[in-house]
Amino acid sequence: AEDGLRTLCVACREIDSEELDLWLTRYHEACVALEDRQEHLEEVADEIEKDLELQGITGIEDRLQEDVGTTIGKLVEAGIKVWMLTGDKTETAIN
């Protein structure tokens, strides 16, 4: 991070289908909440993002790459959950 690189941590854990189904229900409820949506989303994220096993860390230059949107779209079409986290401005994340 000191060299101006984006630091990325990759982690995972196994969850059974019952836990996933329950969490997806809570996640959907948080997504459609009319009040305090962001707070509810943070709570359900905290539920699933625990006891993770670190797989690796990398640093990348923070340049917008070609076809990122297309690639993310294909991952989602394939049924892969994609979460993007940024500490930057909303405009940067949208770009």
Side-chain angles (χ1 to χ4, degrees):
E2 291 178 8
D3 295 328
L5 300 177
R6 254 329 144 154
T7 304
L8 304 174
C9 299
V10 179
C12 69
R13 74 178 172 100
E14 287 190 31
I15 57 175
D16 59 39
S17 59
E18 182 179 333
E19 179 183 359
L20 178 61
D21 290 341
L22 291 171
W23 183 83
L24 285 172
T25 298
R26 289 192 299 275
Y27 177 72
H28 175 72
E29 290 169 354
C31 286
V32 298
L34 298 177
E35 295 181 8
D36 302 318
R37 180 178 297 144
Q38 188 61 40
E39 182 179 320
H40 293 301
L41 286 169
E42 290 173 13
E43 287 173 6
V44 294
D46 286 344
E47 290 174 16
I48 200 79
E49 295 173 357
K50 62 180 182 182
D51 302 323
L52 299 173
E53 182 177 319
L54 184 64
Q55 302 295 304
I57 300 173
T58 185
I60 60 169
E61 289 185 52
D62 191 11
R63 289 185 285 153
L64 186 59
Q65 302 294 312
E66 290 184 34
D67 300 321
V68 169
T70 302
T71 302
I72 292 171
K74 288 181 179 182
L75 291 169
V76 170
E77 284 178 25
I80 298 171
K81 301 288 183 188
V82 177
W83 291 30
M84 297 179 66
L85 307 174
T86 179
D88 282 340
K89 298 178 257 175
T90 302
E91 296 82 15
T92 304
I94 291 171
N95 285 335

